[in-house]
Structure formats: structure tokens, C-alpha cells
């Protein structure tokens, strides 16, 4: 929409219109000189003093206007200074109106007072000419045209009317349409001007917006004409090829620019050719260019008609991020080795190629596991553990075979794969070299760390072999190496596969047995040494396989821990044992073993509460037994969970005391109420005074800590007698009092033993066994 007047124009255009009022001083001087000359001719002819006064007024007005123009030229308003331009507009209107009034007054005095035809003709004709000049000079501002037209026409019309005859009155009347036509003329010219100014303003604004958009946009933009010549380019586009194509782009062929980049080895020729074809064929699309250094630029090509637009986007950060993501997806962030996923991808591709080629040369896959690495994290912290893992990777790389590929499977497990030169001698040499280099002490956590590693490996010449099979067999060999004492390497042999399938079957059958309640509990008594009566029983799980017979507890309990089913076993044992204990005398408690996995989770306390609530057994008649190995993995968490159980009145017993390396520290920080001394302390007490003293000292330690002491593995009357006479042991447990029994036989045993009268010690008379073995 076109603006209504100058004041509605943008400031820049309004200031320009005001400035036009003060232009061309010479034209103003020539016009005023002609006016003054006409007045003087009329004054000389008529010798009228008033005309001399009019001439003087014109001279003064001309001087003032000229001075005003000079002042404007010396101090013009700024393009954005609208208020100053408005002041200059008012000055021009005042001075122009005064000048126009002098013209009107000249006509009035000539018609009314001088009354000379020549004087009247000169006054009217010059005044009408001046009116035309007013319209052409001031058409841009309607108020100035109107005020000056009125200042001329009113005195002129008044003079014509005062002459008195009808012709002059008619002539005065004709001034009205004349002045109106002048005003319409000014309005038309002004409308055309303002329309052009508006269009120019819009065009300028659009151009400015386009320039702003081009220069502020984050991407470079370049437009090519039908000949492939650059017609438009912003600064960012030129920065893309900075240092390659110097100077202005506009007017240059884009193909020449690419040639220059190729010549400076900043752009691959294949990339430039592809980009050129896309421009020539106007197919559109995207292409990523790698320019000199590590700068990546994505070019988007769009075509319409005979114009092609190229959009340049700096994607260096995105490419680097993608490369980083790809690296993180394929490589271990700690050691820089390929991770499990990338290792699997590489080896499976190589095995597939080997299968297609029908090759039968042997391949090697070895798994390296750091022995007892978790102890490093637990005692020195994960930062020290990370340093050990990093150095482990570096050490292995220094001694492994040149054809081997090393990766980190996760945790403290590494894997080596080799598809060339995997003969038995080189495999043996590599395994021994890896073990040797890892035996050297590590320096981390401010101290020395001595570690060993175990290696299980498999070598296969079968043309068809899967990576999963290789890993499974190497795992079996690793398991065997660790079972032989750790710090060793072991090759896979076929009998391991049979053992593996046996274990896999047991895992599935164990899950079924747990789900179908096919496990059973037996109970082994703990006898009070002073009264020779049953003080409690330890609940032990047993599994009779329908086809394989009795499965040893150490096997199926280990499988339950490995498969994550141990929690379900513990829950069942707690529920069954507490329900059975209710049937025993109120002085007898029941003990339930828990595993490391039970202590790591949050469900043990819940399972204990459920069992006690369901059975109605008081918490004081339940004991929880655990070994030191169950405490190693999460000592702080285990302490908190045991403390919560002890707070309810539940007994906490440390089983197999003395077999670990840090038992005393556990006694200081855990809520134990009972210590069960390992059977290894009992074995030699009848023949070795040293063993007896050691046993007595352990018992004294327990008494000092106000703990109940239990001797495990008592199998003979002589052992029992030595314990009773020379140690402060409170309770004993072992085959001397019978093997673990089912629930009904346990009840009978308790009834029989708790009726036995206590006999004083030290009489020297032989004592028959309390229960036949």
C-alpha cells in the first residue's frame, strides 16, 4: 500500500524530500532576479514608490532564502534524523509563504493603487509563473504548496475584485479553478513521486533484507547463470574456498574455481567432476567435499530454469562427531582396542571369507582374563583399575604375534584372534609371552600391584566354524585354566566340550527343578559343647536329578549363581527352613546360607521378612550364614544389608573362618554374632600342638569379640575331646553327629540328643558317639 504523505514515508525517504526543497540555489536566484527586474521596470514606468518597496521586499526575501539554502547545505540533517528534517521543512514553509505573500501583495498594489496596465500585466504574469515554480519545486510537501498558493491567490483575487468591473471579478473567479488545478497537479506529481519512492523503499528494503540474509546466514550461497558463471555469492561462500580462489567471485566461472582448487591439491578431482556434472545436468542433490586440511563442506545443488543455486554448509564438526561416534561404536574408549561388537564384525567377515575360499589353515582364538582383578577396583579404586587395564592392553600388544588381532571383550577380558601362522609352537610361545609380560608388577593407585592372568585358547582347522563356537571353546579352556590354579594357559580339548554340554543341561534342568519345587532340604545339627544338645541346625539344599542322580551342592549352587537363579533358591530355602524350625524346640535355631549375589541385591531382606512372617518364627531363631568370598565384591553394601538384618534380631554367622586373607577386617566392620571355624583348623589338633594352640587362640579371639564360636568338621571323639578340654569353642558341627538329615529324621535326632544328660568332662572314661556315623 502506498504511503498517504511524506510523513508516512520511511525516515530516509522523508529526509530526502525535505532536502529537495533546498536544492538548486541558482534556479532560485535566476527566478527571483527576473521577478525583481519586472518589479523595477513597472516602478520606473509608473514612478510608484510602493513598487520600489515591493522590489526591496523581494531582495530581502531572496537574500534570506539564499542564506537558508547555504545553511542547509552546510548542516544537512542525517539520513535517519527525522526531527531535524521537520525543522528544516517548517523553515522552508515560513520563508516560502512570506515570499509568496510578497508576490500576492505585488499584484494587489499594482491593481488597486498603481492602476497601470503594464504594471498590472507584469505583476500578474510573473506571479502566475512563480506559482508554477512553487508547484514544481514544492510538490513533494502538500502543506507548503497549499500555504504558498493561498498566500498568492488571496491578495491577487482581492485586487481583481477591488478594480470593480465585472471582467476583473470574473478573472478573480477564474483564479479558483486555476489554483485548484495547480494543487491537483502538485498532488499528481507528488503521488507519482511517493509511489516511486515507496517502490524504491520496498525494493531497497527487500534488497537490504536479502543482503542481510545472505551475509548473516550460516551457510554460503552462490548463484550461477545459464553459462555457469557466478552471478551472486555471499561472504561465507567465498570463505569456503579461502586461500584457494582469491578475489571476487562474481563474474567468474564456477568450473574455473574448481579447476583452481584441483590445481592447488585442495579438492580431489573426482569430487570436482561429480559436482560439475550435477551442475551441468541440473539434477540437484548433495555432495560432501573435503577441502584442504580437515575442512568438510556439504554442497546442496538446486536448479530452477536456467539458474543454479549452490548452498555451502560447513559440516566439519558434524563429520568429526560422526567419526567420533563411529569410533566409540567400534572401539573401547579406555584401551583404544576394538570392542566386542567391532571385533565380532571383523572376525565374522574374515571367517566368512575363509569359508568361501575353502581354506583349512588353522585359526586361533584366545581369551585372556586378569585373575582377581576385581580386588584392584575394590581396594584401590576404579581409576587404578583403569590404568591397569590400559597398561595390560599395551603390554599384550608388545608381545603378541604380528598376525594377531587384539580386542577387549569387556571388563578385564581380552581376546586374541589370528588367522595366519597359527601353528602350535607359535600359539604356545604367544601365550607364554603374554603371561610373562603380565606377571610384571603394575604401578597404579600409588603402589605396586601384582597380578596374574589366565588364558584359554582354541585352535581350529575346520573350514566351517562360527565365532560363537570359538569363543565358547576358549571360555571352557579358560575355565579349566582358572580351576588349575590361575596364572596358566590352557588349550581347548574335546572333553571340555562334553563337560560344557553337561553343565548346559544341568542349567536347564535346574531351572525346571526350581520351578517345580524338586529341590529338598536336609539339616545338619550344631551341638552345644557344654550340654551336648542340639543348639541349631544348618539347612542345606540338595538336588536329586531324575536321570543323573544326586548333583553335588557345589555344582548346582554354582550353576544357580551363574544363571542368576540363586535368589529363587535362597528364597525357597528361607521359606522351607523357617517353616520346619517352628516344629523344633524353641531353643533351637536354623541357619541358612546366602551367596554373594544375594548380598548384592536388595531382595534378601524382603525374602527374610516374608519367610518369618509366613512361618511365624521369631527372628532370633534364624541365622544367616555367609563366607568371606560373598563379602569381597561389595563390602560396604553387604555390611549395610547385614546390619539391617541384625537390627531385627537375626543372627549373622561367618562361615569357613580363617580361609580368607582379610577375616580380621571383616570382624571389625560387620555385624557378626557367630564364627564358624573352618575344618582345616580341626584336622591336626589331635597330633599337632601347634594346630591346637592356633585353634585355642582363634577361640579366644571369638570370646574377646563376644561371638559364638563353632568348630566345623568334627569327625572323631578324640577331636571333640581336645576341643572340649583345650579351647573355648561353644558349638561343634560335623559327621561325628551324623550326616545332614531330612526334616523328619532331624526332628527325631533333636528329640534323642536333647534328652541326653550332660556328663562332666575330664573323667577319663571313654564316651560313646552321640550318634552313629
Amino acid at each position: 500500500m502506498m504511503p498517504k504523505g511524506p510523513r508516512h514515508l520511511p525516515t530516509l525517504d522523508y529526509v530526502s524530500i525535505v532536502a529537495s526543497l533546498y536544492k538548486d540555489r541558482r534556479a532560485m536566484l535566476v527566478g527571483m532576479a527576473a521577478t525583481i527586474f519586472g518589479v523595477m521596470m513597472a516602478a520606473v514606468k509608473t514612478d510608484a514608490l510602493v513598487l520600489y518597496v515591493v522590489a526591496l521586499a523581494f531582495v530581502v526575501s531572496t537574500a534570506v532564502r539564499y542564506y537558508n539554502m547555504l545553511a542547509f547545505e552546510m548542516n544537512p540533517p542525517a539520513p535517519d534524523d527525522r526531527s531535524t528534517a521537520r525543522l528544516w521543512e517548517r523553515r522552508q514553509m515560513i520563508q516560502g509563504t512570506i515570499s509568496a505573500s510578497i508576490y500576492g501583495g505585488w499584484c494587489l498594489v499594482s491593481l488597486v493603487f498603481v492602476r497601470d496596465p503594464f504594471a498590472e500585466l507584469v505583476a500578474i504574469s510573473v506571479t502566475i509563473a512563480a506559482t508554477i515554480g512553487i508547484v514544481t519545486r514544492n510538490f513533494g510537501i502538500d502543506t507548503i504548496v497549499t500555504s504558498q498558493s493561498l498566500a498568492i491567490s488571496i491578495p491577487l483575487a482581492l485586487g481583481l475584485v477591488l478594480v470593480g468591473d465585472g471582467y476583473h471579478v470574473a478573472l478573480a473567479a477564474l483564479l479558483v479553478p486555476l489554483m485548484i488545478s495547480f494543487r491537483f497537479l502538485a498532488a499528481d506529481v507528488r503521488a507519482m513521486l511517493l509511489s516511486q519512492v515507496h517502490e524504491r523503499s520496498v525494493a531497497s528494503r527487500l534488497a537490504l533484507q536479502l543482503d542481510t540474509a545472505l551475509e548473516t546466514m550460516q551457510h554460503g550461497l552462490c548463484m550461477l547463470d545459464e553459462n555457469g558463471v557466478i552471478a551472486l555469492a555471499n561472504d561465507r561462500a567465498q570463505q569456503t574456498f579461502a586461500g584457494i580462489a582469491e578475489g571476487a567471485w562474481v563474474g567468474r566461472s564456477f568450473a574455473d574455481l574448481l579447476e583452481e582448487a584441483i590445481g592447488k591439491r585442495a579438492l580431489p578431482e573426482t569430487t570436482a567432476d561429480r559436482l560439475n556434472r550435477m551442475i551441468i545436468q541440473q539434477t540437484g542433490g548433495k555432495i560432501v567435499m573435503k577441502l584442504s586440511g580437515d575442512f568438510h563442506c556439504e554442497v546442496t545443488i538446486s536448479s530452477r530454469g536456467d539458474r543454479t543455486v549452490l548452498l555451502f554448509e560447513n559440516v566439519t564438526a558434524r563429520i568429526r562427531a560422526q567419526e567420533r561416534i563411529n569410533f566409540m561404536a567400534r572401539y573401547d574408549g579406555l584401551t583404544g582396542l576394538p570392542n566386542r561388537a567391532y571385533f565380532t564384525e571383523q572376525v565374522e567377515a574374515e571367517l566368512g571369507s575363509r569359508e568361501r575360499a575353502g581354506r583349512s589353515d588353522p585359526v586361533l582364538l584366545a581369551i585372556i582374563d586378569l585373575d582377581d582383578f576385581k580386588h584392584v577396583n575394590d581396594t584401590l579404586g576404579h581409576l587404578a583399575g583403569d590404568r591397569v587395564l590400559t597398561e595390560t592392553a599395551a603390554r599384550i600388544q608388545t608381545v603378541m604375534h604380528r598376525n594377531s588381532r587384539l580386542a577387549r571383550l569387556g571388563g578385564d577380558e581380552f581376546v586374541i584372534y589370528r588367522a595366519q601362522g597359527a601353528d602350535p609352537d607359535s600359539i604356545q610361545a604367544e601365550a607364554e609371552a603374554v603371561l610373562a609380560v603380565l606377571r610384571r608388577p603394575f604401578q597404579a593407585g600409588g603402589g605396586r600391584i601384582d597380578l596374574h592372568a589366565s588364558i584359554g585358547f582354541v585352535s581350529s582347522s575346520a573350514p566351517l566354524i562360527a565365532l560363537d563356537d570359538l569363543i565358547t571353546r576358549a571360555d571352557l579352556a579358560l575355565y579349566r585354566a582358572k580351576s588349575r590354579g590361575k596364572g596358566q594357559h590352557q588349550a581347548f580339548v574335546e572333553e571340555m566340550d562334553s563337560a560344557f554340554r553337561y553343565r548346559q543341561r544341568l542349567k536347564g534342568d535346574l531351572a525346571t527343578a526350581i520351578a517345580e519345587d524338586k529341590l529338598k532340604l536336609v539339616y545338619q545339627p550344631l551341638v552345644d559343647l557344654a550340654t551336648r544338645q542340639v543348639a541349631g541346625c544348618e539347612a542345606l539344599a540338595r538336588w536329586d536329578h531324575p536321570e543323573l542322580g544326586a548333583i553335588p551342592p557345589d555344582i548346582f549352587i554354582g550353576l544357580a549363581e551363574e544363571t542368576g537363579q540363586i535368589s529363587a533358591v535362597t528364597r525357597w530355602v528361607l521359606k522351607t527352613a523357617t517353616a520346619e524350625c517352628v516344629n523344633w524346640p524353641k531353643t533351637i535355631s536354623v541357619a541358612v546360607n546366602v551367596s554373594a549375589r544375594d548380598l548384592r541385591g536388595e531382595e534378601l531382606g524382603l525374602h527374610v521378612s516374608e519367610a518369618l512372617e509366613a512361618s511365624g518364627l521369631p527372628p532370633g531363631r534364624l541365622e544367616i550364614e555367609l563366607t568371606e568370598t560373598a563379602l569381597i565384591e561389595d563390602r560396604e553394601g553387604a555390611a549395610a544389608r547385614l546390619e539391617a538384618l541384625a537390627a531385627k534380631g537375626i543372627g549373622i554367622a561367618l562361615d569357613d573362618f580363617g580361609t580368607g586373607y582379610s577375616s580380621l577386617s571383616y570382624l571389625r566392620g560387620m555385624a557378626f554374632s557367630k564364627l564358624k571355624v573352618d575344618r582345616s583348623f580341626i584336622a591336626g589338633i589331635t597330633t599337632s600342638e601347634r594346630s591346637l594352640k592356633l585353634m585355642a587362640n582363634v577361640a579366644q579371639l571369638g570370646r574377646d569379640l563376644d561371638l559364638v564360636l563353632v568348630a566345623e568338621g568334627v569327625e572323631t571323639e578324640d577331636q571333640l575331646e581336645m576341643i572340649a578340654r583345650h579351647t573355648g569353642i561353644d558349638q561343634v558341627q560335623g559327621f561325628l553327629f551324623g550326616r545332614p538329615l531330612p526334616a523328619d529324621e532331624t526332628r527325631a535326632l533333636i528329640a534323642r540328643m536333647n534328652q541326653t544328660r550332660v556328663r562332666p568332662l575330664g573323667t577319663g572314661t571313654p564316651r560313646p558317639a552321640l550318634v552313629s556315623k
Side-chain angles (χ1 to χ4, degrees), residues 53 74 77 85 106 117 141 197 216 267 314 320 439 450 561 725 742 755 759:
V53 174
M74 294 176 62
W106 178 23
I141 300 180
V197 168
T216 59
L267 179 67
N314 183 352
R320 288 176 181 170
R439 288 193 192 102
D450 292 309
E561 291 183 338
R725 290 183 179 278
Q755 291 177 357
R759 287 172 294 180

Coordinates of all heavy atoms in Angstrom, one line a residue, residues 53 74 77 85 106 117 141 197 216 267 314 320 439 450 561 725 742 755 759:
V53 N 9.2 49.6 -2.9 CA 9.1 48.9 -1.7 C 9.0 47.4 -1.9 O 9.6 46.6 -1.3 CB 8.0 49.4 -0.8 CG1 7.8 48.6 0.5 CG2 8.2 50.9 -0.4
M74 N 25.3 23.4 4.5 CA 26.4 23.3 5.4 C 26.1 22.3 6.6 O 27.0 21.7 7.2 CB 26.9 24.6 6.0 CG 27.4 25.6 4.9 SD 27.8 27.2 5.6 CE 29.0 26.8 6.8
P77 N 20.4 17.5 7.6 CA 20.1 16.5 8.6 C 20.6 15.1 8.2 O 20.8 14.9 7.0 CB 18.5 16.5 8.6 CG 18.2 17.0 7.2 CD 19.2 18.0 6.8
A85 N 14.9 17.2 10.1 CA 14.3 17.4 8.8 C 13.0 18.1 8.9 O 12.7 19.0 8.1 CB 14.2 16.1 8.1
W106 N 2.3 42.2 -4.4 CA 2.7 43.0 -5.6 C 1.5 43.1 -6.5 O 1.2 44.2 -7.0 CB 3.8 42.3 -6.2 CG 4.3 42.9 -7.5 CD1 4.2 44.2 -7.9 CD2 5.0 42.2 -8.5 NE1 4.8 44.3 -9.1 CE2 5.3 43.1 -9.6 CE3 5.5 40.9 -8.7 CZ2 6.0 42.8 -10.7 CZ3 6.1 40.6 -9.9 CH2 6.4 41.5 -10.9
P117 N -1.7 49.6 -16.7 CA -1.8 48.3 -17.4 C -0.5 47.5 -17.5 O -0.5 46.3 -17.3 CB -2.3 48.7 -18.8 CG -3.0 50.0 -18.6 CD -2.2 50.8 -17.5
I141 N 5.7 18.3 -0.7 CA 5.1 18.5 0.6 C 3.8 19.4 0.4 O 3.9 20.6 0.0 CB 6.1 19.2 1.5 CG1 7.3 18.3 1.7 CG2 5.4 19.5 2.9 CD1 8.3 18.8 2.6
V197 N 8.9 6.4 -4.7 CA 9.7 6.4 -3.5 C 9.3 5.1 -2.7 O 10.2 4.4 -2.2 CB 9.5 7.6 -2.6 CG1 10.0 7.4 -1.2 CG2 10.1 8.8 -3.3
T216 N 24.2 -12.9 6.8 CA 24.1 -13.4 8.2 C 23.8 -14.9 8.2 O 23.9 -15.5 9.3 CB 23.0 -12.6 9.0 OG1 21.8 -12.8 8.3 CG2 23.4 -11.2 9.1
L267 N 41.3 -30.0 -3.5 CA 40.0 -30.7 -3.8 C 40.3 -31.9 -4.7 O 40.9 -31.7 -5.7 CB 39.0 -29.8 -4.4 CG 37.6 -30.3 -4.8 CD1 36.9 -30.7 -3.5 CD2 36.8 -29.3 -5.6
N314 N 29.2 -25.8 6.2 CA 30.4 -26.3 6.9 C 30.0 -27.5 7.8 O 29.3 -27.3 8.8 CB 31.0 -25.2 7.8 CG 32.3 -25.7 8.5 OD1 32.6 -26.9 8.4 ND2 33.0 -24.8 9.1
R320 N 33.3 -34.8 12.2 CA 34.1 -35.2 13.3 C 33.3 -35.9 14.3 O 33.8 -36.9 14.9 CB 34.8 -34.0 13.9 CG 35.9 -33.4 13.0 CD 36.5 -32.2 13.6 NE 37.5 -31.6 12.8 CZ 38.1 -30.4 13.0 NH1 37.7 -29.6 14.0 NH2 39.0 -29.9 12.2
R439 N 52.9 -60.7 34.3 CA 53.4 -61.0 35.6 C 54.2 -59.9 36.2 O 54.4 -59.8 37.4 CB 54.2 -62.3 35.6 CG 53.4 -63.6 35.4 CD 54.2 -64.8 35.8 NE 53.6 -66.0 35.3 CZ 53.9 -66.7 34.2 NH1 54.9 -66.3 33.5 NH2 53.2 -67.8 33.9
D450 N 50.5 -56.6 42.0 CA 51.0 -57.9 41.4 C 49.7 -58.6 40.9 O 48.8 -59.0 41.7 CB 51.7 -58.7 42.4 CG 53.1 -58.1 42.8 OD1 53.8 -57.7 41.9 OD2 53.3 -57.9 44.0
E561 N 24.1 -69.6 40.8 CA 24.7 -68.3 40.9 C 25.0 -67.8 39.5 O 24.8 -66.6 39.1 CB 26.0 -68.3 41.7 CG 25.7 -68.5 43.2 CD 26.9 -68.5 44.0 OE1 28.0 -68.7 43.5 OE2 26.9 -68.2 45.3
R725 N 38.5 -79.8 76.0 CA 39.4 -79.6 77.1 C 40.3 -78.4 76.9 O 40.7 -77.7 77.9 CB 40.3 -80.9 77.3 CG 39.5 -82.1 77.8 CD 40.5 -83.2 78.1 NE 39.8 -84.4 78.6 CZ 39.5 -84.5 79.9 NH1 39.8 -83.6 80.8 NH2 38.8 -85.6 80.3
P742 N 17.1 -85.5 56.5 CA 15.9 -84.9 56.1 C 15.1 -84.4 57.3 O 15.5 -84.6 58.5 CB 15.1 -86.1 55.5 CG 16.1 -87.1 55.1 CD 17.2 -86.9 56.1
Q755 N 17.6 -85.2 75.0 CA 17.2 -85.9 76.3 C 18.4 -86.5 77.0 O 18.3 -86.9 78.1 CB 16.2 -87.0 75.9 CG 14.9 -86.6 75.5 CD 14.0 -87.7 75.1 OE1 14.4 -88.9 75.1 NE2 12.7 -87.4 74.7
R759 N 27.3 -85.0 80.9 CA 28.3 -85.6 81.8 C 29.5 -84.7 81.9 O 29.9 -84.1 81.0 CB 28.7 -87.0 81.2 CG 27.6 -88.0 81.3 CD 28.0 -89.2 80.5 NE 28.0 -88.9 79.0 CZ 28.3 -89.8 78.1 NH1 28.6 -91.1 78.5 NH2 28.3 -89.5 76.9

